[in-house]
Amino acid sequence: MKISEIARDAQVTTKAIRYYESLGLLAPARLGNGYRDYSAEDVRRAREIRELNRLGIPVERTRPFLECLEVGHAHADDCPSSLAGYRAAIDELTSWIDALTERRAVLVQRLRHAAARNFPLQPDDLEAIDMTDVHELPANLPVPEDDGAADHLPGMAVPTIELAGSTGETVPLHALGEGRHVLYVFPLIGTPDADLPDGWDNIPGARGCTPEACDFRDHYEDLIAAGAAGVFGMSLQEAGYLRGVAERLRLPYAMLADTGFRLAETMGLPTFQAGGKRFYRRHTLIIREGRIEHVFYPIFPPNEHAQQVLTWLREHPLEAAPRRPGR
């Protein structure tokens, strides 16, 4: 068998065959004219070398496997020396994985720090940032339609559930106290270091969580004056992440983490799927004395939603609006 033929049958290059020979891993016979004559056994050995190398074992370290074949074993890894070769390769890969994981962690940290320096509303450069940028939304966003997913909520009692908040405290939604409490629910707040799911802008009602949060921030005092005893945001994101969001956006209210969709499961709150994951649909609950008094759904545009809530509060005043704690 010629070198071109063994290279074809073993699915390697002729250069690779010559390299195997130079290491003594292949030893073809010689014809009378001096040409190499490769055998079916040489093809088998070349294939074994190729496969082991594909798994990360250097060509130079395949010798114990080939020697296992030479002594008559059916498989190249039937010998103890072969198993030792596997272990050595695994240990080396583990070392690489650890080093790459550490390098990745450093890169992620640097990315987050770099992103945070340029994220809107940093305390150190608050005065230098154009406050209107965070309110801007892409043009031609699809408008969500009312699919009836929230029709059952008005009048429903809030279940006994406590959620972790961005302030470090646990908030009992069933026992918020007297007065009206605004709970706006949103899908996802991203940061410059994290990509949004593919097609996010094409999902009606998905885009606009940061503008919405900032709209509630900017009208927080007005909402309290109009009779809201408290304002909360809520999503599936973890409390620690939301804490960072609240700090960057300088939010005067707590963000709540419903990571297990506990409210969705107990109350049937509207959700949707994107990128293989589940998210809350944007909606807002007015909670009064442990029950849902009013629901805003669907919501559009999100960057004006706090003003929509403010208008409703002013049009539906309580007989004795609760005073803001501490005043």
CSV table of all heavy atoms in Angstrom, one decimal, residues 68-110:
chain,number,residue,atom,x,y,z
A,68,CYS,N,0.1,-1.7,23.0
A,68,CYS,CA,-1.0,-2.6,23.5
A,68,CYS,C,-1.6,-3.4,22.3
A,68,CYS,O,-1.9,-4.6,22.4
A,68,CYS,CB,-2.1,-1.8,24.1
A,68,CYS,SG,-3.3,-2.8,25.1
A,69,LEU,N,-1.7,-2.8,21.1
A,69,LEU,CA,-2.1,-3.5,19.9
A,69,LEU,C,-1.1,-4.6,19.5
A,69,LEU,O,-1.4,-5.7,19.0
A,69,LEU,CB,-2.4,-2.6,18.8
A,69,LEU,CG,-3.6,-1.6,19.0
A,69,LEU,CD1,-3.7,-0.6,17.8
A,69,LEU,CD2,-4.9,-2.4,19.1
A,70,GLU,N,0.2,-4.2,19.6
A,70,GLU,CA,1.3,-5.0,19.1
A,70,GLU,C,1.4,-6.4,19.9
A,70,GLU,O,1.7,-7.4,19.3
A,70,GLU,CB,2.6,-4.3,19.3
A,70,GLU,CG,2.9,-3.2,18.3
A,70,GLU,CD,4.2,-2.5,18.6
A,70,GLU,OE1,5.0,-3.0,19.4
A,70,GLU,OE2,4.5,-1.5,17.9
A,71,VAL,N,1.0,-6.4,21.1
A,71,VAL,CA,1.1,-7.6,21.9
A,71,VAL,C,-0.2,-8.4,21.8
A,71,VAL,O,-0.3,-9.5,22.4
A,71,VAL,CB,1.3,-7.3,23.4
A,71,VAL,CG1,2.7,-6.6,23.6
A,71,VAL,CG2,0.2,-6.5,24.0
A,72,GLY,N,-1.1,-8.0,20.9
A,72,GLY,CA,-2.2,-8.9,20.6
A,72,GLY,C,-3.6,-8.5,21.2
A,72,GLY,O,-4.6,-9.2,20.9
A,73,HIS,N,-3.7,-7.4,21.9
A,73,HIS,CA,-5.0,-7.0,22.4
A,73,HIS,C,-5.9,-6.5,21.4
A,73,HIS,O,-5.5,-5.9,20.4
A,73,HIS,CB,-4.8,-5.9,23.5
A,73,HIS,CG,-4.2,-6.5,24.8
A,73,HIS,ND1,-4.8,-7.3,25.7
A,73,HIS,CD2,-2.9,-6.3,25.3
A,73,HIS,CE1,-4.0,-7.6,26.7
A,73,HIS,NE2,-2.8,-7.0,26.5
A,74,ALA,N,-7.2,-6.7,21.6
A,74,ALA,CA,-8.2,-6.3,20.6
A,74,ALA,C,-8.4,-4.8,20.5
A,74,ALA,O,-8.7,-4.2,19.5
A,74,ALA,CB,-9.5,-7.0,20.8
A,75,HIS,N,-8.1,-4.1,21.7
A,75,HIS,CA,-8.3,-2.7,21.7
A,75,HIS,C,-7.0,-2.0,22.3
A,75,HIS,O,-6.3,-2.6,23.1
A,75,HIS,CB,-9.5,-2.3,22.7
A,75,HIS,CG,-10.8,-2.9,22.2
A,75,HIS,ND1,-11.2,-4.1,22.8
A,75,HIS,CD2,-11.7,-2.5,21.3
A,75,HIS,CE1,-12.4,-4.5,22.2
A,75,HIS,NE2,-12.7,-3.5,21.3
A,76,ALA,N,-6.8,-0.8,21.8
A,76,ALA,CA,-5.5,-0.1,22.2
A,76,ALA,C,-5.5,0.3,23.7
A,76,ALA,O,-4.5,0.6,24.2
A,76,ALA,CB,-5.3,1.1,21.3
A,77,ASP,N,-6.7,0.3,24.3
A,77,ASP,CA,-6.7,0.7,25.7
A,77,ASP,C,-7.0,-0.5,26.6
A,77,ASP,O,-7.6,-0.3,27.7
A,77,ASP,CB,-7.7,1.8,25.9
A,77,ASP,CG,-9.1,1.5,25.4
A,77,ASP,OD1,-9.4,0.3,25.0
A,77,ASP,OD2,-10.0,2.4,25.3
A,78,ASP,N,-6.6,-1.7,26.2
A,78,ASP,CA,-6.8,-2.9,27.1
A,78,ASP,C,-5.7,-3.1,28.1
A,78,ASP,O,-5.8,-4.0,28.9
A,78,ASP,CB,-6.9,-4.2,26.2
A,78,ASP,CG,-8.3,-4.3,25.5
A,78,ASP,OD1,-9.2,-3.6,26.0
A,78,ASP,OD2,-8.4,-5.0,24.5
A,79,CYS,N,-4.7,-2.2,28.0
A,79,CYS,CA,-3.5,-2.4,28.9
A,79,CYS,C,-3.5,-1.4,30.0
A,79,CYS,O,-3.9,-0.2,29.8
A,79,CYS,CB,-2.2,-2.3,28.0
A,79,CYS,SG,-2.2,-3.5,26.7
A,80,PRO,N,-2.9,-1.7,31.1
A,80,PRO,CA,-2.7,-0.7,32.2
A,80,PRO,C,-2.0,0.6,31.7
A,80,PRO,O,-2.3,1.7,32.2
A,80,PRO,CB,-1.9,-1.4,33.3
A,80,PRO,CG,-2.2,-2.9,33.0
A,80,PRO,CD,-2.4,-3.0,31.5
A,81,SER,N,-1.0,0.4,30.9
A,81,SER,CA,-0.3,1.6,30.4
A,81,SER,C,-1.2,2.6,29.6
A,81,SER,O,-1.0,3.8,29.7
A,81,SER,CB,0.9,1.2,29.6
A,81,SER,OG,0.5,0.4,28.4
A,82,SER,N,-2.1,2.0,28.9
A,82,SER,CA,-3.1,2.8,28.2
A,82,SER,C,-4.0,3.6,29.1
A,82,SER,O,-4.2,4.8,28.9
A,82,SER,CB,-3.9,2.0,27.3
A,82,SER,OG,-3.2,1.2,26.4
A,83,LEU,N,-4.4,2.9,30.2
A,83,LEU,CA,-5.3,3.6,31.2
A,83,LEU,C,-4.5,4.8,31.8
A,83,LEU,O,-5.0,5.8,32.1
A,83,LEU,CB,-5.8,2.7,32.2
A,83,LEU,CG,-6.6,1.5,31.7
A,83,LEU,CD1,-7.1,0.6,32.8
A,83,LEU,CD2,-7.7,1.9,30.8
A,84,ALA,N,-3.2,4.5,32.1
A,84,ALA,CA,-2.4,5.6,32.6
A,84,ALA,C,-2.3,6.8,31.7
A,84,ALA,O,-2.2,7.9,32.1
A,84,ALA,CB,-1.0,5.0,32.9
A,85,GLY,N,-2.2,6.4,30.4
A,85,GLY,CA,-2.2,7.5,29.4
A,85,GLY,C,-3.5,8.3,29.4
A,85,GLY,O,-3.4,9.6,29.2
A,86,TYR,N,-4.6,7.7,29.6
A,86,TYR,CA,-5.9,8.4,29.7
A,86,TYR,C,-5.9,9.3,30.9
A,86,TYR,O,-6.2,10.5,30.8
A,86,TYR,CB,-7.0,7.4,29.9
A,86,TYR,CG,-7.5,6.7,28.6
A,86,TYR,CD1,-8.1,5.5,28.6
A,86,TYR,CD2,-7.5,7.4,27.4
A,86,TYR,CE1,-8.6,4.9,27.5
A,86,TYR,CE2,-7.9,6.8,26.2
A,86,TYR,CZ,-8.5,5.5,26.3
A,86,TYR,OH,-8.9,4.9,25.1
A,87,ARG,N,-5.4,8.8,32.0
A,87,ARG,CA,-5.4,9.6,33.3
A,87,ARG,C,-4.5,10.8,33.1
A,87,ARG,O,-4.8,11.9,33.6
A,87,ARG,CB,-5.0,8.7,34.4
A,87,ARG,CG,-6.0,7.8,34.9
A,87,ARG,CD,-5.7,7.2,36.3
A,87,ARG,NE,-4.5,6.2,36.1
A,87,ARG,CZ,-4.7,4.9,35.9
A,87,ARG,NH1,-5.9,4.4,35.8
A,87,ARG,NH2,-3.6,4.1,35.8
A,88,ALA,N,-3.3,10.6,32.5
A,88,ALA,CA,-2.4,11.8,32.3
A,88,ALA,C,-3.1,12.8,31.4
A,88,ALA,O,-2.9,14.0,31.7
A,88,ALA,CB,-1.1,11.3,31.7
A,89,ALA,N,-3.8,12.4,30.4
A,89,ALA,CA,-4.4,13.3,29.5
A,89,ALA,C,-5.5,14.1,30.2
A,89,ALA,O,-5.7,15.3,30.0
A,89,ALA,CB,-5.0,12.6,28.2
A,90,ILE,N,-6.3,13.4,31.0
A,90,ILE,CA,-7.4,14.0,31.8
A,90,ILE,C,-6.8,15.0,32.8
A,90,ILE,O,-7.4,16.1,32.9
A,90,ILE,CB,-8.2,12.9,32.5
A,90,ILE,CG1,-9.0,12.0,31.5
A,90,ILE,CG2,-9.2,13.5,33.5
A,90,ILE,CD1,-9.6,10.8,32.1
A,91,ASP,N,-5.8,14.6,33.5
A,91,ASP,CA,-5.2,15.6,34.4
A,91,ASP,C,-4.7,16.8,33.7
A,91,ASP,O,-4.9,18.0,34.2
A,91,ASP,CB,-4.0,14.9,35.1
A,91,ASP,CG,-4.4,13.8,36.1
A,91,ASP,OD1,-5.6,13.8,36.4
A,91,ASP,OD2,-3.6,13.0,36.5
A,92,GLU,N,-4.1,16.7,32.5
A,92,GLU,CA,-3.6,17.9,31.8
A,92,GLU,C,-4.8,18.7,31.3
A,92,GLU,O,-4.7,20.0,31.5
A,92,GLU,CB,-2.8,17.4,30.6
A,92,GLU,CG,-2.1,18.5,29.9
A,92,GLU,CD,-1.1,18.0,28.8
A,92,GLU,OE1,-0.5,17.1,29.1
A,92,GLU,OE2,-1.1,18.7,27.7
A,93,LEU,N,-5.9,18.1,30.8
A,93,LEU,CA,-7.0,18.9,30.4
A,93,LEU,C,-7.7,19.6,31.6
A,93,LEU,O,-8.1,20.7,31.5
A,93,LEU,CB,-8.0,17.9,29.8
A,93,LEU,CG,-7.7,17.4,28.4
A,93,LEU,CD1,-8.7,16.4,27.9
A,93,LEU,CD2,-7.7,18.6,27.4
A,94,THR,N,-7.7,18.9,32.8
A,94,THR,CA,-8.3,19.5,34.0
A,94,THR,C,-7.5,20.8,34.3
A,94,THR,O,-8.0,21.8,34.7
A,94,THR,CB,-8.3,18.5,35.1
A,94,THR,OG1,-9.1,17.4,34.8
A,94,THR,CG2,-8.8,19.2,36.4
A,95,SER,N,-6.2,20.7,34.2
A,95,SER,CA,-5.3,21.8,34.5
A,95,SER,C,-5.6,23.0,33.6
A,95,SER,O,-5.7,24.1,34.0
A,95,SER,CB,-3.8,21.4,34.5
A,95,SER,OG,-3.0,22.5,34.7
A,96,TRP,N,-5.7,22.6,32.3
A,96,TRP,CA,-6.0,23.7,31.3
A,96,TRP,C,-7.4,24.3,31.6
A,96,TRP,O,-7.6,25.5,31.5
A,96,TRP,CB,-6.1,23.1,29.9
A,96,TRP,CG,-4.7,22.7,29.4
A,96,TRP,CD1,-3.5,23.0,29.9
A,96,TRP,CD2,-4.5,21.9,28.2
A,96,TRP,NE1,-2.5,22.4,29.2
A,96,TRP,CE2,-3.1,21.7,28.1
A,96,TRP,CE3,-5.3,21.3,27.3
A,96,TRP,CZ2,-2.5,21.0,27.1
A,96,TRP,CZ3,-4.7,20.6,26.2
A,96,TRP,CH2,-3.3,20.5,26.1
A,97,ILE,N,-8.4,23.5,31.9
A,97,ILE,CA,-9.7,24.0,32.2
A,97,ILE,C,-9.7,24.9,33.4
A,97,ILE,O,-10.3,26.0,33.4
A,97,ILE,CB,-10.7,22.8,32.5
A,97,ILE,CG1,-10.9,22.1,31.2
A,97,ILE,CG2,-12.0,23.3,33.1
A,97,ILE,CD1,-11.7,20.8,31.4
A,98,ASP,N,-9.0,24.6,34.5
A,98,ASP,CA,-8.9,25.4,35.7
A,98,ASP,C,-8.2,26.7,35.3
A,98,ASP,O,-8.7,27.8,35.7
A,98,ASP,CB,-8.1,24.7,36.7
A,98,ASP,CG,-8.8,23.5,37.3
A,98,ASP,OD1,-10.0,23.4,37.1
A,98,ASP,OD2,-8.1,22.7,38.0
A,99,ALA,N,-7.2,26.7,34.5
A,99,ALA,CA,-6.5,27.9,34.1
A,99,ALA,C,-7.4,28.8,33.2
A,99,ALA,O,-7.4,30.0,33.4
A,99,ALA,CB,-5.2,27.6,33.4
A,100,LEU,N,-8.1,28.2,32.3
A,100,LEU,CA,-9.0,28.9,31.4
A,100,LEU,C,-10.2,29.5,32.2
A,100,LEU,O,-10.6,30.6,31.9
A,100,LEU,CB,-9.5,28.0,30.3
A,100,LEU,CG,-8.4,27.6,29.2
A,100,LEU,CD1,-9.0,26.6,28.3
A,100,LEU,CD2,-8.0,28.9,28.5
A,101,THR,N,-10.7,28.7,33.2
A,101,THR,CA,-11.8,29.2,34.0
A,101,THR,C,-11.3,30.4,34.8
A,101,THR,O,-12.1,31.4,34.9
A,101,THR,CB,-12.3,28.1,34.9
A,101,THR,OG1,-12.7,27.0,34.2
A,101,THR,CG2,-13.4,28.6,35.8
A,102,GLU,N,-10.2,30.4,35.4
A,102,GLU,CA,-9.6,31.5,36.1
A,102,GLU,C,-9.4,32.7,35.2
A,102,GLU,O,-9.8,33.8,35.6
A,102,GLU,CB,-8.3,31.1,36.8
A,102,GLU,CG,-7.7,32.2,37.6
A,102,GLU,CD,-6.4,31.8,38.3
A,102,GLU,OE1,-6.0,30.6,38.2
A,102,GLU,OE2,-5.8,32.7,39.0
A,103,ARG,N,-8.9,32.5,34.0
A,103,ARG,CA,-8.7,33.6,33.1
A,103,ARG,C,-10.0,34.2,32.7
A,103,ARG,O,-10.2,35.4,32.5
A,103,ARG,CB,-7.9,33.1,31.8
A,103,ARG,CG,-7.5,34.2,30.9
A,103,ARG,CD,-6.8,33.6,29.7
A,103,ARG,NE,-5.7,32.7,30.0
A,103,ARG,CZ,-5.1,31.9,29.1
A,103,ARG,NH1,-5.4,32.0,27.8
A,103,ARG,NH2,-4.1,31.2,29.5
A,104,ARG,N,-11.0,33.3,32.4
A,104,ARG,CA,-12.4,33.8,32.0
A,104,ARG,C,-13.0,34.6,33.1
A,104,ARG,O,-13.6,35.7,32.9
A,104,ARG,CB,-13.3,32.6,31.7
A,104,ARG,CG,-14.7,33.0,31.3
A,104,ARG,CD,-15.6,31.8,31.1
A,104,ARG,NE,-16.9,32.2,30.6
A,104,ARG,CZ,-17.9,32.6,31.4
A,104,ARG,NH1,-17.7,32.7,32.7
A,104,ARG,NH2,-19.0,32.9,30.8
A,105,ALA,N,-12.8,34.2,34.4
A,105,ALA,CA,-13.4,35.0,35.5
A,105,ALA,C,-12.8,36.4,35.6
A,105,ALA,O,-13.5,37.3,35.9
A,105,ALA,CB,-13.1,34.2,36.8
A,106,VAL,N,-11.5,36.4,35.4
A,106,VAL,CA,-10.8,37.7,35.4
A,106,VAL,C,-11.3,38.6,34.2
A,106,VAL,O,-11.6,39.8,34.4
A,106,VAL,CB,-9.3,37.6,35.3
A,106,VAL,CG1,-8.6,38.9,35.1
A,106,VAL,CG2,-8.7,36.9,36.5
A,107,LEU,N,-11.5,38.0,33.1
A,107,LEU,CA,-12.0,38.8,31.9
A,107,LEU,C,-13.4,39.3,32.2
A,107,LEU,O,-13.8,40.4,31.9
A,107,LEU,CB,-12.0,37.9,30.7
A,107,LEU,CG,-10.6,37.7,30.1
A,107,LEU,CD1,-10.6,36.7,28.9
A,107,LEU,CD2,-10.0,39.0,29.5
A,108,VAL,N,-14.3,38.4,32.8
A,108,VAL,CA,-15.7,38.8,33.1
A,108,VAL,C,-15.7,39.9,34.1
A,108,VAL,O,-16.4,40.9,33.9
A,108,VAL,CB,-16.4,37.6,33.6
A,108,VAL,CG1,-17.8,38.0,34.2
A,108,VAL,CG2,-16.7,36.6,32.5
A,109,GLN,N,-14.8,39.9,35.1
A,109,GLN,CA,-14.7,40.9,36.1
A,109,GLN,C,-14.3,42.2,35.5
A,109,GLN,O,-14.9,43.3,35.7
A,109,GLN,CB,-13.8,40.5,37.2
A,109,GLN,CG,-13.7,41.5,38.3
A,109,GLN,CD,-12.8,41.1,39.5
A,109,GLN,OE1,-11.9,40.3,39.2
A,109,GLN,NE2,-13.1,41.5,40.7
A,110,ARG,N,-13.3,42.2,34.6
A,110,ARG,CA,-12.8,43.4,33.9
A,110,ARG,C,-13.9,44.0,33.0
A,110,ARG,O,-14.1,45.2,32.9
A,110,ARG,CB,-11.5,43.1,33.1
A,110,ARG,CG,-10.3,42.8,34.0
A,110,ARG,CD,-9.1,42.4,33.2
A,110,ARG,NE,-8.7,43.4,32.3
A,110,ARG,CZ,-7.7,44.3,32.6
A,110,ARG,NH1,-7.1,44.2,33.8
A,110,ARG,NH2,-7.3,45.2,31.8
